[in-house]
Amino acid sequence: MSKQQHSRTNATIVSQYEEYVMPIWKSLDVPLERAEGCTVQDFDGEEYLDAFSGIAVTNVGHRNERVVEAAKDQLNEFVHGCSYVHPNGPVGALGERLAEVTPGGLRKSFFCNSGTEAVEGAIKLARKYTGSKEVIAVEMGFHGRTLGSLALTGNRAYKSGMAPTINNVSHIAPPYGYRCTTCDSDSCPGTCANNLKRVIDSHTSGDIAAVVVEPVMGEGGIIVPPEGWLARLKEVVEEHDALLIADEVQTGYGRTGEFWGVDHFEVTPDIVTQAKGIANGLPLGAFTATEEVANAFEAGDHLSTFGGNPVACAAALATIDELQDGVIDNAAEQGEWLPERLSELEAKYDVVGQTRGLGLMQGVELVDPSATGPQGIAPAPDADLAKHVGKNLRERGIIVGVGGFHTNVMRIQPPLTISREQLERVVDALDAAIAEEA
Ligand SMILES: Cc1ncc(COP(=O)(O)O)c(C=O)c1O
């Protein structure tokens, strides 16, 4: 270990960030020195149970042995050759594997480096295939921060001062039953899907390239659409000869207890975007389309110097092996139990407005019961409480995300390898933290 590494402490790392890294963070979380499974350790030797996975990425556990070995093996062969200039084994094998595991008849993939690039590429492909310009996304949705994906992201907070983004993008209402402005029903019949037709008729030329949707909205606050919602969108998409792009960057790779988020809704998308969990932390993104759609791309239409890095692709192959060898089953099993425990918190505390999610993608929405929320719907979001509960959890050695459109949702998205005992620790700590902070 170098002298410089020896002298690292949490304080020195944070001060380097403050001095030398662009100040884009709202608050810095636990500095990381090392991580293993569901445990991370800071530079001062403190250990934390990680229930957020570096924003839903390390799905098969930090430093998963099979993934680390696969990456090391490839590092020993070669690191880079530009995968679109020099064909290589991991890219070919991963392409073939994705054709097996992606839903429906999806067959050909493009590999990039991140979620936002996957979304950008998918929009380009949809425009090229359909010859149309217009793209529709969902209010409160999140698709990334580069200018194309930022246009789809349905939250002004991410766009302020960055305009203009790309044109020809419209948004439909989100399937956010708890704060629904479309219908006044607790059971959320999903009629807001009809909003797509209205938006197309009111705001677009009618010539639609794609509708881009997260099967479960992650950054928006773990919003699960009601049954039938996605299927209704698909119907309207087909009526317009457009494409349905499922943004599975966050929901894919077992996060919801199925391989893909769309697996819960029996809807087949035309393009699936992927990143986050795909290579368990190595930078990789992808979008996969049907052969017919994919073949709309011609030579020179798209490329990325680092995209489909062979080390990252080797890690992705090992990640998929791990997911299929029991990790998704664990996510499904723990993801059955966790919502039951969280709903007990909803019954116990009036500051817990709603708990919701699929698999190991669960949200706890915190509210101020003494005030009414935006547009007079539901109790007011309590972002301050969420911030304090997050901090309190840190002090208890637990990392949970805080997010959502109103920044008032505790996001529980641990590695999918998490045990029942570890999850119990998370829920018990959350219970105690809410009791203390509310
Ligand atoms: C659904 C979804 N799409 C796209 C992105 C952007 O991914 P990245 O941060 O890798 O660019 C995210 C990131 O949170 C996401 O949740």
Side-chain angles (χ1 to χ4, degrees):
M1 202 181 265
S2 73
K3 199 172 157 204
Q4 206 182 13
Q5 279 171 317
H6 266 306
S7 63
R8 283 178 180 158
T9 62
N10 288 347
T12 59
I13 300 291
V14 169
S15 78
Q16 282 174 325
Y17 263 61
E18 282 165 349
E19 201 152 346
Y20 302 114
V21 180
M22 292 196 189
I24 50 77
W25 59 84
K26 284 191 182 153
S27 63
L28 289 172
D29 213 315
V30 173
L32 289 196
E33 183 168 36
R34 54 176 49 97
E36 191 84 38
C38 297
T39 307
V40 301
Q41 192 191 307
D42 70 13
F43 290 87
D44 298 344
E46 285 296 324
E47 277 195 357
Y48 296 82
L49 175 52
D50 182 9
F52 199 37
S53 321
I55 322 191
V57 169
T58 51
N59 286 7
V60 297
H62 289 281
R63 291 193 66 251
N64 176 288
E65 210 181 314
R66 204 156 164 183
V67 176
V68 169
E69 284 311 313
K72 275 188 189 163
D73 287 350
Q74 182 56 40
L75 277 170
N76 286 332
E77 298 289 330
F78 71 98
V79 175
H80 173 79
C82 185
S83 295
Y84 297 103
V85 175
H86 298 285
N88 62 69
V91 169
L94 184 58
E96 188 174 1
R97 195 75 185 271
L98 290 188
E100 286 160 20
V101 300
T102 44
L106 306 189
R107 187 162 174 84
K108 289 193 172 175
S109 296
F110 179 88
F111 297 103
C112 48
N113 308 281
S114 64
T116 194
E117 277 181 77
V119 172
E120 299 275 344
I123 298 168
K124 283 175 70 177
L125 179 61
R127 283 181 167 173
K128 188 87 200 284
Y129 174 75
T130 58
S132 307
K133 293 191 192 73
E134 310 258 3
V135 182
I136 297 178
V138 181
E139 289 168 357
M140 299 188 184
F142 186 87
H143 301 283
R145 294 174 186 261
T146 52
L147 291 173
S149 64
L150 187 61
L152 305 188
T153 290
N155 186 341
R156 194 180 53 210
Y158 298 109
K159 304 185 197 194
S160 184
M162 312 289 171
T165 57
I166 63 166
N167 292 331
N168 302 103
V169 175
S170 309
H171 288 84
I172 59 169
Y176 191 5
Y178 186 61
R179 298 187 185 281
C180 185
T181 50
T182 308
C183 65
D184 188 17
S185 161
D186 275 352
S187 58
C188 187
T191 40
C192 51
N194 295 327
N195 188 236
L196 175 57
K197 186 91 190 90
R198 199 172 66 227
V199 167
I200 291 174
D201 293 345
S202 335
H203 298 289
T204 74
S205 62
D207 215 2
I208 309 299
V211 173
V212 187
V213 58
E214 297 164 83
V216 175
M217 296 167 72
E219 303 305 297
I222 318 289
I223 297 169
V224 185
E227 229 180 289
W229 183 81
L230 201 53
R232 175 70 189 127
L233 292 193
K234 171 84 178 171
E235 272 170 28
V236 179
V237 165
E238 280 175 355
E239 282 162 23
H240 286 81
D241 295 323
L243 300 182
L244 182 69
I245 300 177
D247 183 351
E248 294 264 12
V249 165
Q250 191 157 156
T251 45
Y253 292 86
R255 175 55 55 195
T256 65
E258 295 277 359
F259 203 112
W260 305 105
V262 291
D263 293 342
H264 294 274
F265 303 106
E266 289 170 27
V267 169
T268 310
D270 302 291
I271 305 178
V272 166
T273 56
Q274 305 140 64
K276 286 196 185 279
I278 185 171
N280 206 43
L282 277 91
L284 184 66
F287 55 101
T288 307
T290 59
E291 175 137 30
E292 183 183 317
V293 171
N295 286 344
F297 266 169
E298 295 168 278
D301 272 350
H302 204 51
L303 196 136
S304 159
T305 301
F306 291 130
N309 172 269
V311 180
C313 288
L317 285 161
T319 300
I320 295 171
D321 285 341
E322 282 289 85
L323 287 168
Q324 293 185 324
D325 282 353
V327 172
I328 296 182
D329 292 343
N330 187 59
E333 189 187 329
Q334 308 310 336
E336 283 270 307
W337 173 86
L338 181 58
E340 279 176 34
R341 280 299 316 276
L342 294 177
S343 65
E344 287 169 22
L345 300 186
E346 191 178 323
K348 185 168 171 186
Y349 297 106
D350 58 3
V351 296
V352 176
Q354 195 183 49
T355 57
R356 52 184 182 251
L358 284 176
L360 289 178
M361 183 169 182
Q362 297 287 331
V364 175
E365 173 150 3
L366 299 181
V367 297
D368 173 357
S370 68
T372 309
Q375 294 167 279
I377 299 163
D382 198 337
D384 237 32
L385 177 59
K387 189 168 134 195
H388 287 115
V389 169
K391 191 161 171 282
N392 190 306
L393 285 167
R394 262 347 146 268
E395 284 157 15
R396 294 170 188 274
I398 309 276
I399 299 174
V400 163
V402 178
F405 186 78
H406 300 291
T407 340
N408 67 326
V409 177
M410 309 309 297
R411 292 171 58 185
I412 304 175
Q413 299 177 266
L416 310 181
T417 50
I418 197 165
S419 68
R420 176 68 51 86
E421 182 268 329
Q422 287 172 316
L423 265 185
E424 272 168 8
R425 271 178 58 205
V426 174
V427 181
D428 289 348
L430 183 59
D431 189 344
I434 295 172
E436 216 164 273
E437 302 294 340

